[in-house]
Amino acid sequence: MALFQSGRLIKDQKALLESIQLLQQLAHHQAHLRDLPGKTLVDILSEVPEAVFEEVLFGILQADLTSAFKSPENLHLLLVGIQKFPGVLKPKKLKKLFGSPTIVNEENIPRLVELLQSAAKSEKKDKKLPSVGYDLLQVSLREGAFELFWKEAVENELVKEKSGPVSYMCYRLLGSALPLLSLDQLRMVLKGRVMQHYGEHVVTTQLPDRFKFAPEMEAYVDAFLNSCDDPEKQLAVMIGFSTLTNQGYPVVPSIWRVVRHLQPVALQKYISWLKDMFLRPDLDCCLDFSTNRQKQNQENVNIAQHKMSRLRKWIIHRLVSIIESPVKKEENLVMDISRFCFFHAFFETKKKASQIPETNALPSEPLDEQAHSLAANYFFGLLQTLNTLTVLGDTAEAAALREKHIHGVTADGKLWIFLLVEYANELLSSEKHVKAVKPFTKEQRDAWERTLQSVKNLQKTENKSDSAKIFAFQQLLLLMAIHLFKNPAETMELLSDLLDCTERAFSKEPKKKKTENSEPGWVEVIVEILLSLLAQPSLLIRRISKSVFGRICPNLTKRGLQLILDVLDPYQDQDEESAVVVMEESDKKIKSAPEDTDDERSGDSSDEGGSEEENDSGDEDKNEEVDEDFRSQLMNVLQAGNALGGDESDEELDDEAMMALDENISALFAEQQKRNQAKKDERDRMRKEKILRRDFKIKVLDLVEVFLSKQPENPLVFDIIEPLLQVIEQCMNSDSDKQEVDFLQKTAHIFTNSLCRAKQYCRRVDALQEDLHAFVERLVKKACKHTDSSVALYYFSASLYLLKVLKGNVSDKTPTPPTPLPKKQSSNIPQACQAQACLLLQKVLPLRELKLSVTEEEWEELIRESISQVTESLKVAGQFRVKAEKEKVAKNLELLNFLLKTVTQQKLHVELVEVDKALVALNQQEGIGKSARLDSLYWNVMRWLNYTKPKKEKTAVASKPAQAAEPLKRKKKGFLPESKKRKNRKKRVQENGVAPVASEDRATAAPEEQPEGTDTPEQKKGLVPGSRKPKKHKLAGSGEEAVNGEDAVADKKKRKKRRNRKRKGDVGNEAEQVPAAKKAKGNISQETQQKQDKAKKKRKVKKAPALQE
């Protein structure tokens, strides 16, 4: 194939023929090549010119073309030839080849089915459509026999075979045929058995371990709609898949993303078809089916009504999802869908009205209460989409609003929800033509009229400075007004408070001075309303509340902020009874912690077994008291019935007495069971209440985050610090369930990113400086007292934030510095506290906020003092026998490693003599080398002081007897001597001028640093001056020593070369003259040197990452 693609085979016809013959031979004999030769033949055939095929290839391929119906490969070759060379393979020539002028005819259908089945099973692993199938589809269209091929071969034969690969091939044929078919052929295919079989596959493969073809079919449809320019074909495909239903419910998802490729005309017609199907469901036009299980489980229900309800449910969701999809749409289309959903959710038609288009089409079957409720739920989901919808249209005004990232409005600046409220008011005014599903009472209608009037008054306000506040109140009023249709009883109280708050917020009366007993201002009232709205399980309400709060943040007061912080107070829930009321419907709202719910349910089920001992340990005393009470009551019942009178008590009780005793005992146990059930219900209620309360707090955190992001320069930010720290501290010590962890993570994220790392902060703190300094001192003291370093780190972060605020505000008043941390008291501090302090300091020092809040001199002094503190702690370190002592030294070494690294990298002027002495003395103590962790940490610190870890001494003398006892080994032929090895031959003098002396029997050492004789223990540990390698000595070596070292190395190499030449010249005589013991000794010494070299190499590799760190 590569030769053919290069163009060289076309020029040489003889080579081309030989290549074709070779491929034919390989296809028959080489089984391991599978179908590669056949594919190569097809590729060559599809590239050659028609003249070359007719003159050169046709003759040699005639046998393969004649036997086209014997194998899928030969059929594929013929199909490619027919499409590529129609002038050569004419019907007459085809008839001469295999007796038929066409490929697809009634006579060939059975053979084509067999070949397709074989091809499908061969492509099983590849999960793709066989090439022969796609080419056969194209040839059938060319011959005008597509209907025959599809109905007879595919639907009547292939689909009926219960084989996975064959079924998937049929689905792929369907998807691949979509771009090739005409409009009538599309409608025929989309109503056939393949579509129904595909629908059954989608429904029956819901399990996670089953192969699902739906994503692949969606890709086929998506590609077709993207490339198709005919709106009618697009509409036919969308309707075809939308009418493939399982008991009335379409198998394609209601949020099918392929709709984004529809052209505007096709989209408008599809929406009209959906609306018409919702009002007048035509189940006859649907390709409906039921699974075997559904047929078995069918009860005596109205099947038609059931299918109609399922179809309407899908359609209303399909309409809403069109607005959510990225398809290009106009404002009229969005408003049309919104009006349709709102009308059928809350109204019914009494009489047609020309000004209300929704009344012109009456439903064939009236909507029941369930359908209205379902439409209402989807409508409020639609409201959420409209609230976040980008501005539509191509006008300049729309583009300007999009640049400002404004959402939820039309091109003329009106809120979508305002347009829907106007439409709702129009419907309420047309009582002759429409009627509400749940009519308003007089009080509710008055509230509705009052709300609309307030909105109109706000729109007339000309004060542009209050535009954000006006928009916030307008949005909130409209939201409450539209919720009157869904929950009128719950909305009335909030709406009444909101109307009163609106009047007070925009009244022109002069403001009165606030006192402690004065009425709350409008900001406090609106905050209470927003907190009430956050308690409701509605994403729309929560997002609008968050948006409204962001617009009124500039007007927030200290009392209003305190209302929010009181919700987050972890100690308020313990002191006061919770205002959260758990109803029976709350089970539907508890979705934030399903795992916790399952755990509690499993615990409750275990309690049903009557084992009170499985309750919490805190209730054991109560349980014992209850058991004693129950036991005493039981004893009284038995004594009253003379059941405990003695051995002959059974004879004294007659039948009536026994029956009375049984009834008393039964009543007693029934009463005890009720008490146990009541306790279990109380525990369940408290658990649900806790989940709801925590979920509410998570929502309230959104308001805190909005305030910190919108008002970072507000002095009220300082009031948020301690409440957030209390939440973090309390969550660290509480349960670790998922909801608690989410609450803690969100609080920590807000505290760290929105508060401490905020780029903007309060600039007006002249009057607050004394309070802020006291605040910093209080935070630092709390951080020092904390035993949990992670919590203490948050306190330090808060103090650093306040220091940044104080430093950023220049004032004439010299502030009193905060109380410094206690110095040089490490001997009086417990070991656990020392380790905790080191860990905390190690986390605080790398903080960017700390570096920015101090000058260079202050930073250098801080590092110097920290090193001094660690040095004093290391000086008093005792023996390493206690785990706490080891932990303290480990934390000190970790901190010291960071400090010395900082000194080295930032080139700080810090004296390190004392720490050097302390570390040298520390290494003299017993036990530090026995701990691998301490040993590693110790030498990580020592490398910053230019110490290197000494290498372990080889015990070569002790191994000599063992080496001598080994059997004599004969020297290998062609053995390379040590002097010839590259690593010894390539050794060079070090760059610092000191040449290392390589010894075959001991480790490498510098001549001036390694004296003769045995090393002392101090030299072995590398802590004496002779073993130290300071950086300043790198350039201090004398030139004479370097020259002597070079001469010694050169002389030694020359001597080894002479010996090697002599050994090579007299290898035969030397073998006879040298004793066997001497040969063995030399061989053993060479092997020992090899082992030592390998060990050195391994140590160098291990040491490299540590030095690079």
Side-chain angles (χ1 to χ4, degrees), residues 372-392:
H372 284 297
S373 177
L374 190 66
N377 291 334
Y378 282 120
F379 170 75
F380 280 96
L382 173 61
L383 273 184
Q384 165 59 27
T385 303
L386 294 177
N387 184 52
T388 58
L389 189 65
T390 56
V391 181
L392 304 176

mmCIF file of all heavy atoms in Angstrom, residues 372-392:
data_model
loop_
_atom_site.group_PDB
_atom_site.id
_atom_site.type_symbol
_atom_site.label_atom_id
_atom_site.label_comp_id
_atom_site.label_asym_id
_atom_site.label_seq_id
_atom_site.Cartn_x
_atom_site.Cartn_y
_atom_site.Cartn_z
ATOM 1 N N HIS A 372 -51.678 19.750 35.483
ATOM 2 C CA HIS A 372 -51.496 21.161 35.831
ATOM 3 C C HIS A 372 -50.322 21.327 36.796
ATOM 4 O O HIS A 372 -49.507 22.250 36.643
ATOM 5 C CB HIS A 372 -52.776 21.713 36.464
ATOM 6 C CG HIS A 372 -53.864 21.983 35.472
ATOM 7 N ND1 HIS A 372 -53.739 22.917 34.463
ATOM 8 C CD2 HIS A 372 -55.110 21.442 35.331
ATOM 9 C CE1 HIS A 372 -54.857 22.945 33.740
ATOM 10 N NE2 HIS A 372 -55.707 22.054 34.254
ATOM 11 N N SER A 373 -50.241 20.470 37.790
ATOM 12 C CA SER A 373 -49.148 20.566 38.759
ATOM 13 C C SER A 373 -47.798 20.315 38.097
ATOM 14 O O SER A 373 -46.805 21.000 38.400
ATOM 15 C CB SER A 373 -49.384 19.554 39.888
ATOM 16 O OG SER A 373 -48.321 19.559 40.797
ATOM 17 N N LEU A 374 -47.760 19.365 37.182
ATOM 18 C CA LEU A 374 -46.519 19.070 36.477
ATOM 19 C C LEU A 374 -46.091 20.249 35.617
ATOM 20 O O LEU A 374 -44.910 20.642 35.596
ATOM 21 C CB LEU A 374 -46.712 17.820 35.622
ATOM 22 C CG LEU A 374 -45.453 17.211 34.996
ATOM 23 C CD1 LEU A 374 -44.542 16.666 36.086
ATOM 24 C CD2 LEU A 374 -45.837 16.101 34.033
ATOM 25 N N ALA A 375 -47.069 20.842 34.926
ATOM 26 C CA ALA A 375 -46.752 22.007 34.098
ATOM 27 C C ALA A 375 -46.287 23.180 34.956
ATOM 28 O O ALA A 375 -45.396 23.944 34.549
ATOM 29 C CB ALA A 375 -47.978 22.398 33.271
ATOM 30 N N ALA A 376 -46.845 23.327 36.158
ATOM 31 C CA ALA A 376 -46.424 24.415 37.053
ATOM 32 C C ALA A 376 -44.978 24.228 37.495
ATOM 33 O O ALA A 376 -44.197 25.191 37.544
ATOM 34 C CB ALA A 376 -47.357 24.476 38.262
ATOM 35 N N ASN A 377 -44.616 22.993 37.821
ATOM 36 C CA ASN A 377 -43.236 22.749 38.240
ATOM 37 C C ASN A 377 -42.254 23.045 37.115
ATOM 38 O O ASN A 377 -41.196 23.661 37.339
ATOM 39 C CB ASN A 377 -43.085 21.294 38.693
ATOM 40 C CG ASN A 377 -43.830 21.008 39.977
ATOM 41 O OD1 ASN A 377 -44.067 21.897 40.791
ATOM 42 N ND2 ASN A 377 -44.235 19.753 40.156
ATOM 43 N N TYR A 378 -42.590 22.625 35.898
ATOM 44 C CA TYR A 378 -41.708 22.910 34.773
ATOM 45 C C TYR A 378 -41.682 24.398 34.449
ATOM 46 O O TYR A 378 -40.662 24.927 33.975
ATOM 47 C CB TYR A 378 -42.139 22.108 33.543
ATOM 48 C CG TYR A 378 -41.701 20.665 33.589
ATOM 49 C CD1 TYR A 378 -42.629 19.627 33.546
ATOM 50 C CD2 TYR A 378 -40.358 20.325 33.682
ATOM 51 C CE1 TYR A 378 -42.225 18.300 33.596
ATOM 52 C CE2 TYR A 378 -39.959 18.999 33.727
ATOM 53 C CZ TYR A 378 -40.893 17.995 33.694
ATOM 54 O OH TYR A 378 -40.485 16.684 33.741
ATOM 55 N N PHE A 379 -42.781 25.103 34.701
ATOM 56 C CA PHE A 379 -42.797 26.540 34.445
ATOM 57 C C PHE A 379 -41.825 27.273 35.360
ATOM 58 O O PHE A 379 -41.110 28.183 34.924
ATOM 59 C CB PHE A 379 -44.212 27.101 34.620
ATOM 60 C CG PHE A 379 -44.252 28.601 34.616
ATOM 61 C CD1 PHE A 379 -44.107 29.303 33.432
ATOM 62 C CD2 PHE A 379 -44.416 29.312 35.792
ATOM 63 C CE1 PHE A 379 -44.124 30.691 33.417
ATOM 64 C CE2 PHE A 379 -44.436 30.690 35.796
ATOM 65 C CZ PHE A 379 -44.295 31.390 34.604
ATOM 66 N N PHE A 380 -41.782 26.901 36.633
ATOM 67 C CA PHE A 380 -40.854 27.574 37.526
ATOM 68 C C PHE A 380 -39.410 27.179 37.230
ATOM 69 O O PHE A 380 -38.485 27.955 37.496
ATOM 70 C CB PHE A 380 -41.217 27.273 38.982
ATOM 71 C CG PHE A 380 -42.344 28.118 39.490
ATOM 72 C CD1 PHE A 380 -43.650 27.646 39.475
ATOM 73 C CD2 PHE A 380 -42.120 29.405 39.940
ATOM 74 C CE1 PHE A 380 -44.691 28.423 39.926
ATOM 75 C CE2 PHE A 380 -43.153 30.201 40.390
ATOM 76 C CZ PHE A 380 -44.442 29.710 40.387
ATOM 77 N N GLY A 381 -39.198 26.006 36.669
ATOM 78 C CA GLY A 381 -37.877 25.701 36.130
ATOM 79 C C GLY A 381 -37.535 26.580 34.950
ATOM 80 O O GLY A 381 -36.387 27.011 34.776
ATOM 81 N N LEU A 382 -38.555 26.875 34.124
ATOM 82 C CA LEU A 382 -38.369 27.786 33.004
ATOM 83 C C LEU A 382 -38.041 29.200 33.491
ATOM 84 O O LEU A 382 -37.225 29.912 32.888
ATOM 85 C CB LEU A 382 -39.639 27.799 32.143
ATOM 86 C CG LEU A 382 -39.698 28.816 31.002
ATOM 87 C CD1 LEU A 382 -38.585 28.563 30.012
ATOM 88 C CD2 LEU A 382 -41.048 28.742 30.299
ATOM 89 N N LEU A 383 -38.674 29.626 34.587
ATOM 90 C CA LEU A 383 -38.367 30.938 35.160
ATOM 91 C C LEU A 383 -36.888 31.027 35.554
ATOM 92 O O LEU A 383 -36.250 32.074 35.380
ATOM 93 C CB LEU A 383 -39.234 31.200 36.388
ATOM 94 C CG LEU A 383 -40.616 31.815 36.159
ATOM 95 C CD1 LEU A 383 -41.286 32.084 37.490
ATOM 96 C CD2 LEU A 383 -40.531 33.085 35.345
ATOM 97 N N GLN A 384 -36.353 29.947 36.102
ATOM 98 C CA GLN A 384 -34.936 29.925 36.454
ATOM 99 C C GLN A 384 -34.077 30.091 35.205
ATOM 100 O O GLN A 384 -33.075 30.815 35.223
ATOM 101 C CB GLN A 384 -34.614 28.619 37.178
ATOM 102 C CG GLN A 384 -33.146 28.294 37.299
ATOM 103 C CD GLN A 384 -32.376 29.358 38.047
ATOM 104 O OE1 GLN A 384 -32.929 30.056 38.878
ATOM 105 N NE2 GLN A 384 -31.112 29.494 37.716
ATOM 106 N N THR A 385 -34.462 29.441 34.111
ATOM 107 C CA THR A 385 -33.715 29.594 32.861
ATOM 108 C C THR A 385 -33.804 31.018 32.343
ATOM 109 O O THR A 385 -32.809 31.596 31.893
ATOM 110 C CB THR A 385 -34.258 28.612 31.811
ATOM 111 O OG1 THR A 385 -34.178 27.275 32.324
ATOM 112 C CG2 THR A 385 -33.462 28.693 30.525
ATOM 113 N N LEU A 386 -34.991 31.614 32.397
ATOM 114 C CA LEU A 386 -35.152 32.992 31.930
ATOM 115 C C LEU A 386 -34.360 33.967 32.798
ATOM 116 O O LEU A 386 -33.882 34.994 32.299
ATOM 117 C CB LEU A 386 -36.638 33.368 31.940
ATOM 118 C CG LEU A 386 -37.537 32.609 30.960
ATOM 119 C CD1 LEU A 386 -38.987 33.029 31.134
ATOM 120 C CD2 LEU A 386 -37.090 32.848 29.520
ATOM 121 N N ASN A 387 -34.241 33.677 34.067
ATOM 122 C CA ASN A 387 -33.510 34.573 34.959
ATOM 123 C C ASN A 387 -32.022 34.629 34.625
ATOM 124 O O ASN A 387 -31.359 35.643 34.885
ATOM 125 C CB ASN A 387 -33.697 34.112 36.405
ATOM 126 C CG ASN A 387 -33.051 35.030 37.405
ATOM 127 O OD1 ASN A 387 -33.286 36.233 37.390
ATOM 128 N ND2 ASN A 387 -32.223 34.483 38.275
ATOM 129 N N THR A 388 -31.477 33.558 34.053
ATOM 130 C CA THR A 388 -30.059 33.509 33.690
ATOM 131 C C THR A 388 -29.850 33.578 32.177
ATOM 132 O O THR A 388 -28.723 33.368 31.712
ATOM 133 C CB THR A 388 -29.438 32.214 34.221
ATOM 134 O OG1 THR A 388 -30.151 31.083 33.687
ATOM 135 C CG2 THR A 388 -29.501 32.164 35.740
ATOM 136 N N LEU A 389 -30.887 33.866 31.415
ATOM 137 C CA LEU A 389 -30.793 33.872 29.952
ATOM 138 C C LEU A 389 -30.059 35.122 29.475
ATOM 139 O O LEU A 389 -30.331 36.236 29.937
ATOM 140 C CB LEU A 389 -32.195 33.812 29.337
ATOM 141 C CG LEU A 389 -32.277 33.604 27.823
ATOM 142 C CD1 LEU A 389 -31.733 32.236 27.440
ATOM 143 C CD2 LEU A 389 -33.726 33.746 27.353
ATOM 144 N N THR A 390 -29.115 34.925 28.551
ATOM 145 C CA THR A 390 -28.424 36.071 27.966
ATOM 146 C C THR A 390 -29.373 36.828 27.038
ATOM 147 O O THR A 390 -30.384 36.284 26.571
ATOM 148 C CB THR A 390 -27.197 35.614 27.172
ATOM 149 O OG1 THR A 390 -27.608 34.663 26.170
ATOM 150 C CG2 THR A 390 -26.183 34.951 28.088
ATOM 151 N N VAL A 391 -29.037 38.059 26.764
ATOM 152 C CA VAL A 391 -29.898 38.906 25.936
ATOM 153 C C VAL A 391 -29.892 38.380 24.511
ATOM 154 O O VAL A 391 -28.832 38.107 23.929
ATOM 155 C CB VAL A 391 -29.415 40.366 25.985
ATOM 156 C CG1 VAL A 391 -30.336 41.251 25.152
ATOM 157 C CG2 VAL A 391 -29.377 40.851 27.428
ATOM 158 N N LEU A 392 -31.085 38.209 23.934
ATOM 159 C CA LEU A 392 -31.233 37.672 22.586
ATOM 160 C C LEU A 392 -31.347 38.808 21.575
ATOM 161 O O LEU A 392 -31.725 39.927 21.908
ATOM 162 C CB LEU A 392 -32.476 36.787 22.505
ATOM 163 C CG LEU A 392 -32.542 35.623 23.501
ATOM 164 C CD1 LEU A 392 -33.864 34.888 23.364
ATOM 165 C CD2 LEU A 392 -31.387 34.652 23.280
#
